[in-house]
Amino acid sequence: MWKPFQQQSTLPPTIYDIAREAKVGIGTVSRVFNDHPSVSKETRRRVLSVANRLSYRPHPYARGLARKRTNSIMAVIPFFTTFFFMEILQGVQSKLSELDCDVILFGVNHPDQVESSLRHHVLRSRVDGLLFFSMRMPDAFVSQFPHHRTPVVLVDAFHDRFDSLTVDNQQGAHAATHHLISLGHKRIGMLGANRESIPARERLRGFQNAMKEADLAIEPSLVKNSSSPKLDGFTRESGFEVMNQFLALGKEMPTAVVVSSDIQAAGALSAISAAGLRCPEDISIVGFDDIELASHLGLTTMRQPMFEMGTLAAEILLARLEDSAQEPTHRLFVPKLVVRNTSAAYVARERLASGTAA
Amino acid sequence: MWKPFQQQSTLPPTIYDIAREAKVGIGTVSRVFNDHPSVSKETRRRVLSVANRLSYRPHPYARGLARKRTNSIMAVIPFFTTFFFMEILQGVQSKLSELDCDVILFGVNHPDQVESSLRHHVLRSRVDGLLFFSMRMPDAFVSQFPHHRTPVVLVDAFHDRFDSLTVDNQQGAHAATHHLISLGHKRIGMLGANRESIPARERLRGFQNAMKEADLAIEPSLVKNSSSPKLDGFTRESGFEVMNQFLALGKEMPTAVVVSSDIQAAGALSAISAAGLRCPEDISIVGFDDIELASHLGLTTMRQPMFEMGTLAAEILLARLEDSAQEPTHRLFVPKLVVRNTSAAYVARERLASGTAA
DNA sequence: CTGAAAGCGCTAACAC
DNA sequence: GTGTTAGCGCTTTCAG
C-alpha cells in the first residue's frame, strides 16, 4: 500500500528544533509563544512560520514545570448526585478551553473521598485551581490549606472564605409561589425536603415570604418536609409520600403546591395520578431545578442557568488565579420560572368536583 | 487568634529535600517512589518515613516531563448528547484514579470541534491516551496520526483500526423482542430510528431475527422508522409520531412494540395515553438504553452496564498503553432486560375491548 | 545497592 | 531585540 506522505515517526519538535530552523535562539522562540512584546515583527513572523510548518506546540508539562503553574483546574463533583453538573461542566469547559486550560475531572462517590483527593492533587500543585461542587468543604481542608495556595471556587455551595456561586433558592421559591398566587391559588402548600438541608430551608423561606407578601395564610398542615435522610430528602419517594399526605387531607388539601425539587415533583405527580386526580386540573404543581425529567413531565419549574453558571464559575476562578489577595466574592444566580403544564389557574368548581378523593 | 501550628508557607518539598533529610541521593528517593527493586529495605523505610513526615508527593509534571508520559488521558465526549456518558465516565474515572491517572474532560458541542481538539492535545503528548465517545473518528485523524503514537479507544463507536467497546444492539433488540414474544405477543411492531444510524439498523436486525426464530411474521406495516433527521431520529417527537401511526392502524395495530430507544419510548407512551389507551393493558412497550427517565416512566427496557463499560474502557486503554503493537480488540457488551411495567402478557379480550381507538 | 550527572522542554533573568 | 544560562522536579543511565 502506497503512502502519500512520509510517515513522520520522529519525536515532536521542540523549541530547539524551531529555533535552529528559524535561526534564532530558543529564548526568542519562547518569547514568541508567550506574546512577549520585545520581539521584532519580522522575527516573530519567521518563527511562527517555521513553527507552523513543523506543527510545533509548546509542551504543556515542560511549560508548567518552568512556569510553576499547570494550566489546568480540577472539578470536584459528586457523582452520586449526577448530571445537574453535566451542564455546568459544559459551561466551565467551554470557557476554559478558550484559554487553553484543561479541566480535570474528579468525581467522588462518597464525601469521604473528597479530603484525600484534595490532598493528593492540590497539595502538589497538580492543578492551578479547584472548582468544588455542591459539597461541604471538609473543615480539615479549610483550616489546613490557606486558599492562597490554590484557589477554590465553590459552586452550589457556600463558605465565607472562598469564592462562591450559588443559586438564590429563596428568590426562586418566591417566584414559584408567586406564580401560583398570580394564578389565583390561595390554599398553597409547600412540599419540602429535609430541614437540615440549607437549600431546602431557603426554598421554604422563599415560599413563606411570598405568601406573607400576598397576605395569604400559611397553614401548618400545608407545609410538609421530607423526613427521609436519604439525599436530604430530594428523592422521588419523598415527593410521593408527602404528596399523599396532602391528598389525604381531602377537601382540605391545597389547590397548588410548591415542591422543593423536580425529582420530588415527579414523585408527587405519580401520587396525584395514583389517587385518580389530574395535575393541572385538580391541583397545580411547580418544581425546582428544571432537570431534564421536568421537560418530559411537562413540569412547571424554576430553571437555573446552568451553562452560564459554568462559564461564570470558570471566570471567577480565572480571576482568582490572577489575584489571590482580594476578598472572596459571592455570586447569586436567580432561577427563572419555566411555565409548562402542571400549573393552571385556580378554578373553584373543579376542586369541588373531585375534592372527595383520598 | 492563636494558631495551634506553625502555618507552613514554604514551597512544597522536592525530591532534594527529602534526599537531604534522609541522607541519601535523589536517585534513591526516586527509586523508592518508583518501586524500583534495588533499594535496601532499611533505606526505603527511612526515605518513606521522611517523605511522609514532610508529606512529599512527586510532582506529576516533572515526572511526566522526565518520563515522557503524562499520566492522564483525555475523554472526548459529545456534550450535545449528554449524560449517557456521565455514568460511563464515572466508571472510567474510578478505575483510573486507582492508578493515579487523571481524566481530562473534553466536551465537544459540535463534531467539527473534534478534529482541532485532537490535534491540539494529542499531537503534543498532552495526554497518554484518548477515550473517544459515540462519535465518528474524523478521517483526517485516522489517516494522519497512526494510533501508535497515542492510543485511542472508542466507546460506543467503531473503527477497525482502534480498540472499541460497543453494545450489542442486535442482541439487545433480540432480547427485547424475545421478551415480548415470551409474553405471548404475536403482532409485534418495531419503532425504529433513522435507517442511516448504525445502532438503529442493528436493533432492527435483532428484532427481525428474534421474530424469525419464533416463526412470527414481520408485517411491514408494523415496522416503522423515524424519518426525522434530528439526532438520527432518537427523539421523543419521533417516538410520539411513529406510535401514532401504529395507533392509527386501529384493530390492526401491534399488541406490543419494540422501541429503539427510551427517549422514543417516552414519546410513544404519551401517544398511547393521548389516544386514550393504557400501556401494558392495551399495548406493551419495551425501550432501549435505560436512561434515568426510563425508571421514572416504569419503562421496561434494555439496560447497558454503563459503569462497567467505563471501567472496561479504562482497562483497555491502559492495556494499550502498555502494548501498542497488538491488534485492536473489539468488545461487545450485551444489554440486559429490565422488566418494569410497560410490558405485560398478551390477553386477547383486552385488545378487543379497546381496539377501536384512534 | 546507591550517588552523581545528564537530560526532559520550556521560562525567565541576565547580558550584550 | 535577542542569545545565553540557569533552573523547574523528576527519571535514568553510568560508575562505583
Side-chain angles (χ1 to χ4, degrees):
Chain A
M1 186 177 159
W2 182 76
K3 290 203 189 116
F5 298 104
Q6 173 79 39
Q7 194 73 64
Q8 178 174 350
S9 80
T10 58
L11 264 32
T14 75
I15 207 173
Y16 286 91
D17 298 319
I18 108 104
R20 183 169 6 87
E21 292 280 311
K23 309 204 177 305
V24 294
I26 62 165
T28 300
V29 179
S30 177
R31 281 179 204 109
V32 169
F33 279 90
N34 288 289
D35 291 319
H36 192 102
S38 46
V39 179
S40 81
K41 216 157 177 161
E42 162 57 15
T43 313
R44 154 173 268 103
R45 200 200 50 68
R46 193 148 37 95
V47 169
L48 247 21
S49 131
V50 175
N52 199 44
R53 178 157 55 76
L54 272 49
S55 67
Y56 162 85
R57 299 204 170 275
H59 184 126
Y61 279 20
R63 176 178 275 197
L65 230 204
R67 201 153 41 181
K68 294 197 173 219
R69 41 156 31 223
T70 64
N71 250 102
S72 62
I73 64 99
M74 178 164 86
V76 182
I77 82 177
F79 266 153
F80 44 87
T81 318
T82 34
F83 77 13
F84 160 71
F85 309 99
M86 204 56 185
E87 223 170 311
I88 297 189
L89 226 41
Q90 200 170 332
V92 169
Q93 213 254 246
S94 91
K95 182 78 202 174
L96 253 26
S97 73
E98 282 171 20
L99 287 102
D100 196 43
C101 179
D102 288 333
V103 177
I104 294 181
L105 191 64
F106 196 91
V108 302
N109 292 299
H110 192 83
D112 295 352
Q113 300 180 328
V114 176
E115 208 179 319
S116 74
S117 79
L118 253 29
R119 278 231 165 51
H120 208 73
H121 290 75
V122 177
L123 259 178
R124 291 304 301 168
S125 56
R126 198 181 192 111
V127 293
D128 295 337
L130 230 54
L131 247 29
F132 200 87
F133 287 86
S134 291
M135 288 177 294
R136 241 181 49 109
M137 264 299 207
D139 290 328
F141 183 83
V142 176
S143 60
Q144 216 174 122
F145 318 102
H147 69 294
H148 309 79
R149 175 71 92 226
T150 105
V152 174
V153 2
L154 267 25
V155 180
D156 188 33
F158 184 87
H159 191 293
D160 55 6
R161 295 185 48 189
F162 300 95
D163 289 319
S164 73
L165 192 157
T166 46
V167 309
D168 194 331
N169 288 301
Q170 191 171 320
Q171 271 283 103
H174 182 109
T177 311
H178 184 78
H179 168 62
L180 260 13
I181 293 174
S182 71
L183 246 25
H185 291 278
K186 302 213 184 306
R187 282 187 69 77
I188 304 178
M190 170 86 200
L191 196 171
N194 279 5
R195 289 216 111 86
E196 289 70 44
S197 154
I198 308 255
R201 277 216 300 273
E202 294 173 341
R203 290 173 191 185
L204 175 58
R205 184 177 311 276
F207 165 76
Q208 294 167 329
N209 290 162
M211 291 295 275
K212 243 167 251 162
E213 277 176 28
D215 273 327
L216 256 33
I218 300 177
E219 290 201 30
S221 65
L222 299 190
V223 177
K224 295 191 188 299
N225 294 291
S226 157
S227 51
S228 142
K230 193 181 152 206
L231 282 174
D232 280 341
F234 289 110
T235 63
R236 186 186 171 78
E237 295 73 38
S238 89
F240 185 85
E241 192 185 300
V242 178
M243 179 52 78
N244 270 333
Q245 299 175 21
F246 281 140
L247 298 178
L249 262 31
K251 54 175 57 164
E252 303 282 277
M253 75 176 159
T255 69
V257 4
V258 175
V259 182
S260 62
S261 68
D262 286 352
I263 192 74
Q264 290 174 91
L269 250 21
S270 347
I272 292 172
S273 75
L277 297 178
R278 285 160 312 158
C279 186
E281 294 87 350
D282 298 315
I283 186 168
S284 285
I285 293 287
V286 19
F288 206 110
D289 290 339
D290 197 30
I291 61 180
E292 163 151 332
L293 179 60
S295 69
H296 292 301
L297 259 27
L299 184 67
T300 292
T301 191
M302 300 305 302
R303 169 165 176 76
Q304 312 169 25
M306 308 213 257
F307 188 89
E308 294 96 84
M309 285 178 67
T311 54
L312 184 57
E315 276 164 17
I316 294 178
L317 185 52
L318 257 21
R320 178 62 57 192
L321 252 38
E322 301 298 292
D323 173 8
S324 63
Q326 256 172 64
E327 280 292 290
T329 65
H330 301 285
R331 305 281 292 255
L332 224 43
F333 262 100
V334 345
K336 285 191 197 57
L337 177 70
V338 180
V339 179
R340 283 195 272 249
N341 26 32
T342 59
S343 58
Y346 169 63
V347 182
R349 57 191 155 71
E350 295 237 31
R351 293 221 67 247
L352 295 176
S354 50
T356 53
Chain B
M1 186 178 158
W2 182 76
K3 290 201 191 119
F5 299 104
Q6 173 79 41
Q7 194 72 65
Q8 179 174 351
S9 81
T10 58
L11 263 32
T14 74
I15 206 172
Y16 286 93
D17 299 318
I18 109 102
R20 184 167 7 86
E21 292 278 312
K23 310 207 175 302
V24 294
I26 61 165
T28 300
V29 179
S30 175
R31 282 178 202 110
V32 170
F33 279 90
N34 287 288
D35 290 320
H36 193 101
S38 47
V39 180
S40 80
K41 213 157 181 159
E42 162 56 15
T43 312
R44 153 173 268 103
R45 198 197 53 69
R46 193 150 35 94
V47 168
L48 246 22
S49 132
V50 174
N52 200 45
R53 179 157 55 76
L54 274 47
S55 69
Y56 162 83
R57 297 201 171 278
H59 185 127
Y61 278 21
R63 179 178 274 198
L65 229 205
R67 204 151 40 179
K68 295 195 173 220
R69 45 165 10 227
T70 65
N71 250 100
S72 63
I73 65 97
M74 178 162 88
V76 182
I77 82 179
F79 265 153
F80 44 88
T81 317
T82 36
F83 76 15
F84 162 71
F85 310 99
M86 203 56 184
E87 223 171 310
I88 297 189
L89 226 41
Q90 199 168 332
V92 170
Q93 214 255 241
S94 93
K95 183 78 201 174
L96 253 27
S97 73
E98 282 171 21
L99 287 101
D100 197 42
C101 179
D102 287 333
V103 178
I104 294 180
L105 191 64
F106 196 91
V108 303
N109 293 299
H110 192 83
D112 294 352
Q113 300 180 327
V114 175
E115 208 177 321
S116 75
S117 78
L118 253 31
R119 278 231 166 51
H120 207 72
H121 290 76
V122 177
L123 258 179
R124 289 303 300 166
S125 57
R126 196 183 194 110
V127 292
D128 295 338
L130 230 54
L131 246 31
F132 199 88
F133 287 87
S134 292
M135 288 176 294
R136 242 180 48 109
M137 264 301 206
D139 290 329
F141 182 83
V142 175
S143 60
Q144 213 173 124
F145 317 103
H147 69 295
H148 310 78
R149 175 71 93 228
T150 105
V152 174
V153 1
L154 268 25
V155 180
D156 187 34
F158 184 87
H159 191 293
D160 56 6
R161 292 184 49 190
F162 299 96
D163 288 319
S164 72
L165 192 158
T166 46
V167 308
D168 195 330
N169 289 302
Q170 190 172 323
Q171 272 281 105
H174 181 109
T177 311
H178 183 77
H179 168 61
L180 261 14
I181 293 173
S182 71
L183 247 24
H185 291 278
K186 302 214 183 307
R187 282 186 68 77
I188 304 178
M190 170 87 198
L191 196 168
N194 278 6
R195 288 218 113 86
E196 288 71 41
S197 154
I198 308 256
R201 277 216 300 272
E202 293 173 341
R203 291 173 190 185
L204 175 59
R205 183 176 311 275
F207 165 77
Q208 294 167 327
N209 289 161
M211 292 294 275
K212 243 168 249 159
E213 278 175 27
D215 274 328
L216 291 172
I218 301 178
E219 289 199 32
S221 64
L222 300 191
V223 177
K224 294 193 188 299
N225 293 291
S226 158
S227 51
S228 143
K230 193 181 152 206
L231 281 173
D232 279 343
F234 289 110
T235 64
R236 185 187 174 77
E237 296 73 41
S238 88
F240 185 86
E241 191 185 301
V242 178
M243 179 51 79
N244 271 333
Q245 299 176 20
F246 281 141
L247 297 178
L249 262 32
K251 52 175 58 168
E252 303 283 278
M253 76 177 159
T255 69
V257 4
V258 175
V259 183
S260 63
S261 68
D262 286 352
I263 193 72
Q264 290 174 93
L269 249 22
S270 350
I272 291 173
S273 74
L277 297 178
R278 286 160 312 159
C279 184
E281 294 87 348
D282 298 315
I283 186 167
S284 285
I285 292 287
V286 20
F288 207 112
D289 290 339
D290 198 29
I291 60 179
E292 164 153 329
L293 179 60
S295 68
H296 292 300
L297 259 26
L299 184 67
T300 292
T301 190
M302 299 306 302
R303 169 166 177 76
Q304 313 172 23
M306 308 213 257
F307 187 91
E308 294 96 83
M309 285 177 68
T311 56
L312 184 58
E315 276 165 19
I316 295 177
L317 185 51
L318 256 20
R320 179 62 57 192
L321 251 38
E322 301 297 290
D323 174 8
S324 63
Q326 255 173 64
E327 280 292 291
T329 65
H330 301 285
R331 305 281 291 255
L332 224 43
F333 262 99
V334 346
K336 285 190 196 61
L337 177 70
V338 180
V339 178
R340 285 196 272 249
N341 25 36
T342 57
S343 58
Y346 169 64
V347 183
R349 58 193 152 73
E350 295 232 35
R351 296 222 63 250
L352 295 177
S354 49
T356 52

